Amino acid sequence: MGNHLSLLSLFRLALLFTIFLSPTFLGEPKKSQDGEVIYWNIGQGDFISFINRKICLIFDVGGSFRVPENDLIELRDQCPGKRVKLFISHFDKDHISNYRRLMTYLNVEESYFSHLDSRSKFGQKLLDQLKFQNSKIFEIRQGFRMTSEGIKLVCLWPPRGPLRKAENDRSLVLKLEVKKRSFLFMGDLPSKLEKKLPAVKAEVLKVGHHGSKYSSDIKFLERVHPAACVVSVGKGNTYGHPSDLALKRMGLAHCAILRTDTLGNVRFEL
């Protein structure tokens, strides 16, 4: 985990969660009744799941390489009724590129987007495939809430009204609460918009834009006050993610930095 895990960060994490970092730690973790959040190691991109006995949520389904079959089989076997609620932060390919493989193994019963006017052919193919499989498609904005037996999911961005032009600026920002645990998913939202979010705290932050220097502003990190900052990023990517500046800011905020490129799948058992 390198020098980014301070003693304070480790202590906070130990109090909050049981964490499994695979393949760093081998052996199959025992499943919790309250569920498990997994940040899958799929190279440069985002692919996150939350599954408990009642519900299966997927947050983005991208990555620069194919989701391994074993991971998809694990998802399929754990997902109640093999039905998924899929949340796509935005239409950049590194957030949606694995949708065909996901839909081979699981039925996307409902899908949620900040907007449905994809300006890419790949994004339009995703929408067409969801319609073909009779997924119920929803456009959601700030204020949307979903509750289901011990969990709450809230949309914090984008606000209602006309959307900004840049695709990253349109990213869904979602907060998941499971019992007393909280997770914040930032998509690729840049720091210029982080300050416009409603006041929010979360124990685990999926940092915006894979640790770009244009995300994870120090004031935002101090406001959220996460115990862990998860960076979903590809090894040796050409973008230079995560940037040294973003990593320095995370260090100053005393959050444990957990990177999929060095740790593999990052799991939080609840």
Side-chain angles (χ1 to χ4, degrees), residues 12-13 19 202-206 226-230 255-258 268:
R12 290 174 64 195
L13 283 169
I19 305 177
E203 293 166 333
V204 180
L205 171 68
K206 199 294 296 183
C229 293
V230 179
C255 68
I257 301 173
L258 307 176
F268 291 86

Side-chain angles (χ1 to χ4, degrees), residues 128-142:
D128 291 343
Q129 185 66 21
L130 288 168
K131 292 174 184 176
F132 178 76
Q133 294 198 1
N134 296 315
S135 174
K136 297 177 182 177
I137 301 174
F138 301 94
E139 186 177 87
I140 62 174
R141 299 288 182 87
Q142 189 178 91

Side-chain angles (χ1 to χ4, degrees), residues 22-267:
S22 58
T24 307
F25 292 90
L26 300 179
E28 186 63 26
K30 184 179 179 181
K31 299 301 177 183
S32 166
Q33 291 185 0
D34 291 331
E36 183 179 38
V37 175
I38 305 176
Y39 301 80
W40 297 94
N41 176 29
I42 39 65
Q44 182 69 14
D46 280 7
F47 182 16
I48 307 162
S49 64
F50 167 74
I51 299 176
N52 65 11
R53 291 185 175 184
K54 298 291 184 180
I55 197 167
C56 180
L57 307 178
I58 304 292
F59 303 95
D60 286 335
V61 60
S64 57
F65 59 77
R66 287 157 58 99
V67 182
E69 185 177 14
N70 288 344
D71 289 345
L72 289 169
I73 290 172
E74 179 182 346
L75 278 174
R76 181 195 66 193
D77 291 347
Q78 295 297 324
C79 189
K82 310 299 182 286
R83 291 188 291 271
V84 167
K85 297 182 189 300
L86 174 65
F87 293 82
I88 297 296
S89 63
H90 61 302
F91 285 106
D92 282 356
K93 195 170 182 179
D94 59 334
H95 291 255
I96 62 175
S97 58
N98 272 291
Y99 77 85
R100 290 190 184 92
R101 284 179 62 75
L102 177 77
M103 295 170 73
T104 299
Y105 287 79
L106 289 161
N107 175 42
V108 178
E109 188 173 49
E110 297 175 2
S111 48
Y112 297 83
F113 300 81
S114 69
H115 64 290
L116 299 174
D117 56 331
S118 172
R119 290 168 286 186
S120 73
K121 290 183 179 180
F122 200 85
Q124 190 56 55
K125 287 180 180 179
L126 163 61
L127 291 170
D128 291 343
Q129 185 66 21
L130 288 168
K131 292 174 184 176
F132 178 76
Q133 294 198 1
N134 296 315
S135 174
K136 297 177 182 177
I137 301 174
F138 301 94
E139 186 177 87
I140 62 174
R141 299 288 182 87
Q142 189 178 91
F144 167 85
R145 291 174 178 266
M146 174 185 292
T147 57
S148 174
E149 295 192 29
I151 78 160
K152 180 170 70 173
L153 185 71
V154 179
C155 178
L156 302 174
W157 190 270
R160 298 181 184 278
L163 287 170
R164 292 169 175 263
K165 291 183 179 180
E167 188 65 24
N168 287 349
D169 295 359
R170 300 174 167 209
S171 289
L172 281 181
V173 174
L174 300 164
K175 182 181 180 182
L176 173 67
E177 297 180 35
V178 185
K179 298 297 176 69
K180 295 182 179 180
R181 309 305 184 201
S182 53
F183 300 80
L184 189 60
F185 308 118
M186 295 296 295
D188 278 357
L189 197 75
S191 55
K192 66 181 180 180
L193 298 178
E194 291 172 346
K195 59 187 176 183
K196 294 181 179 293
L197 289 172
V200 60
K201 291 188 179 297
E203 293 166 333
V204 180
L205 171 68
K206 199 294 296 183
V207 301
H209 206 183
H210 322 287
S212 160
K213 65 181 179 181
Y214 300 110
S215 65
S216 306
D217 179 77
I218 185 61
K219 291 183 179 179
F220 172 71
L221 292 171
E222 290 173 347
R223 190 153 51 101
V224 176
H225 193 55
C229 293
V230 179
V231 186
S232 185
V233 66
K235 185 176 295 186
N237 68 85
T238 58
Y239 304 100
H241 296 158
S243 78
D244 290 340
L245 287 173
L247 291 172
K248 182 178 180 180
R249 293 193 291 264
M250 293 177 218
L252 290 171
H254 302 295
C255 68
I257 301 173
L258 307 176
R259 298 171 49 167
T260 58
D261 62 336
T262 57
L263 297 171
N265 299 335
V266 176
R267 301 169 178 259

